[in-house]
Amino acid sequence: MFIDRNIDHYCISEKTLLIRALEALSNSKGQTLFIVDDFFRLKGTFTDGDFRRWIIGQQEIDLNRPVSEISNLKPVFAYDFEAPSQLAEKLSERIQFLPILDSENHVVGIASLQTNQEITLGNHSINRDSPVLIIAEIGNNHNGSLELAKRLVDEARAAGAHCAKFQMRDLDSLYSGASLGDGASEDLGSQYVLDLLRRFQLSDDEFVEVFNYCRQQGLTVLCTPFDRVSADKLNQYGMDGYKIASADLTNHELLEHIARYGKPMLVSTGMSTEQEIFDAVNVLRRNAANFVLLHCNSTYPAPFKDVNLNYMDRLAEIGECLIGYSGHERGYHVAVAAVAKGAKVIEKHFTVDRDMEGNDHKVSLLPDEFRAMREAIEQVSVSLGTNKPRNLSQGEMINREILGKSLVAAAPISKGTRITEQLVKVKSPGKGLPPSKLKELLGRIASRDLNTDDFFYESDMGGATVVPRNYRFQLRHGIPVRYHDYQALAGLSNLKLIEFHLSYRDLELDPADFIAASNQLDFVVHAPELFAGDHTLDLCSHDEQYRSQSVRELQRVIDITRKLNGFFPTTRSPSIVVNVGGFSEHDFIDAHEKQARYRILEKSLNELDRAGVTLLAQTMPPFPWHFGGQRFHNLFVNPDEIAEYSDRLGLGICLDVSHSWLACNYFDWDFTDFIATVGPKSRHLHIADSQGVDGEGLQVGDGEMDFEKLGRQLKTCAPDATWIPEVWQGHKNGGEGFWRAFSYLDGLL
């Protein structure tokens, strides 16, 4: 049993409408919600069973009544002064979550028989899927100076720590009178430590000041109490949780005393036997503690051969809890490796000068080292992923096409011909069926004519093939094409426009060699991202030579667009979709730097001759895929910035809904609000599905997006916008991906 003091997950207001209560119930931790008044006094419970019993007796279902009207008004509960054993007796198969009340009937905790797989420290919820909590262990490295303590807090925050931790001791209660005297009888090690502790203590008032300072700086604050007197002081202050030093793992009296506070406990297990860890865990469980066990070797510095990170697996079994790592070895690589072993909390000593007096300084990280550790932990955490079935990333799909191989026709094949091994060969690139599908392909009847080196596709393996037809769209629709497939695709449906996706090599071609004039179609141009010499377009670069080259390359695109306009005379001021740049290699840039990049973009735009065309800045995802891999994008990602700089820079917007969905997922923005802000600024739309934070360009219906809802909103806020299906590899097999997207969206846009 353990007690969760983070009660917001379990409680809803008695005024909540039933329809909202049902939504909350489906997302609840324990399929039980506790109904409370405005002061968090318990009023009842609400379960799926309560709802079923109520609905059976209703003639008409009204989900807009308060949940309190159908809740159980006689819930089972316990008081916080009851012993853990009494709480455990009230828990059962039927009652798996038990509200704990104070003397005024306020809910102050939820007891359950579940193992403690989530804790909340300050603003940080720690569970198996959460980011790692990174603690800067300042300890006594302030050397008794409040000024230095605050400086360490500032440096820890700047280095990326989530939490700053200190140590508090009441020397009178912690050490014997003889030890606190001249200490002449003590061992040399004890004499040294006691001398430091006497000189390097902060006063109680100074502790409060530095704790408050941590919170003001946005850091969670923790402290290790080494005795009951210190623990009570920290509890009176209102500490969010407690760190238990390895030295006190066998101090069961202190463990029980701190557990009664009902706050999360981070418990180090250094210098203890496995039996002692078992015993401590039993004490914590008996007292309903919510705890994390920290693997630790209590040597300063710990030799690498003694760290034994593999024991973390055993520690998780013993505690049936989250685990972490408290490291005293030199450097930070072991701490990063601990994250790969499952650590959800990392604690490392922190200093600004390893030459300062005190043994903890010698094993502490300097600010730059701590920052590097944080970055490495974040990278490893992301790279761990999940154990779900493996899917290709967008970057892998790009490289699979470039580097992979496909099954192609070895000779012309007429429709109706049986496909034999002599009619198939393997060639690059990987645009079609992979070679592993050869046996499945052989013996099938060709459903179409193929020329030599034509690719085989999934549709050649049998099953339904999506063919183009006329579609019913309110918004004017089109497809993306290259010069070479324009003639083959443009007349296959009732298209209203064509979007030419140009490569840098297309800029050297004469459009007249590929395109016949059309009075029925409008056109849009998508500027290349990549130009000769591995030059990725960036109109916002601080490198003046690089920026100037980007301006020159985009001017070539503008000139080509004017030339194309002669083939499509009905298009006025043709649009050019541009990814303007502003990406970074290793992390997102801050607000100040973003403003600087927007100013550089303004300079670049002023150098362009834009007469007769309209530039559209494309909305961008947080992690765009370029040919060199994945980067961080900064400009035209945030909806408010998009709206602001569209007006300020005189740019139209190409709203890529897939990109923007990913941005909303990553930054926790509301997608409906995003569309409401950016939609009215949008002249052109790219429509595709998406998933997660970097799964862009998916076939419509294969990702997370609600296209029925999106279609209603776009028809209202962007009624004059044109659009294309921007699905990955949609042009293959005669544009099959485009027609599949159109079939799904028919009537929705």
Side-chain angles (χ1 to χ4, degrees), residues 557-692:
V557 176
I558 293 172
D559 295 340
I560 287 289
T561 302
R562 294 195 188 105
K563 189 172 184 179
L564 281 169
N565 206 172
F567 297 92
F568 302 92
T570 60
T571 304
R572 295 184 178 181
S573 188
S575 297
I576 303 174
V577 178
V578 184
N579 295 339
V580 299
F583 47 82
S584 46
E585 296 290 340
H586 304 297
D587 203 349
F588 296 108
I589 60 178
D590 60 26
H592 177 76
E593 175 61 18
K594 275 203 287 187
Q595 290 185 6
R597 297 288 187 99
Y598 277 119
R599 287 194 295 270
I600 296 173
L601 173 59
E602 184 174 20
K603 175 183 178 182
S604 297
L605 293 174
N606 289 336
E607 293 176 9
L608 290 166
D609 174 8
R610 293 188 274 166
V613 302
T614 301
L615 294 187
L616 307 183
Q618 184 170 210
T619 65
M620 297 302 294
F623 306 106
W625 293 98
H626 293 150
F627 285 94
Q630 196 176 65
R631 288 171 167 160
F632 297 82
H633 221 289
N634 304 286
L635 274 57
F636 292 95
V637 177
N638 179 288
D640 294 326
E641 288 179 11
I642 293 169
E644 176 186 353
Y645 283 97
S646 169
D647 292 338
R648 184 180 299 184
L649 301 176
L651 286 173
I653 296 298
C654 172
L655 170 57
D656 187 306
V657 298
S658 177
H659 289 174
S660 297
W661 179 271
L662 301 179
C664 289
N665 280 352
Y666 183 77
F667 293 107
D668 196 25
W669 297 329
D670 184 270
F671 184 64
T672 300
D673 292 344
F674 189 110
I675 299 299
T677 301
V678 177
K681 305 288 183 183
S682 301
R683 178 166 171 166
H684 187 56
L685 311 171
H686 284 172
I687 304 293
D689 217 331
S690 58
Q691 190 167 27

Side-chain angles (χ1 to χ4, degrees), residues 6 8-9 118-127 130-134 157 161-164 214-222 238-241 263-264 668:
N6 186 22
D8 289 341
H9 295 298
E118 181 168 2
I119 69 169
T120 300
L121 278 170
N123 295 324
H124 302 279
S125 290
I126 308 167
N127 54 55
S130 68
V132 176
L133 181 75
I134 304 174
R157 183 180 67 82
H162 303 128
C163 173
C214 285
R215 290 176 169 175
Q216 291 166 7
Q217 300 307 307
L219 289 180
T220 295
V221 61
L222 289 177
M239 194 64 59
D240 292 322
K263 298 293 182 66
D668 196 25

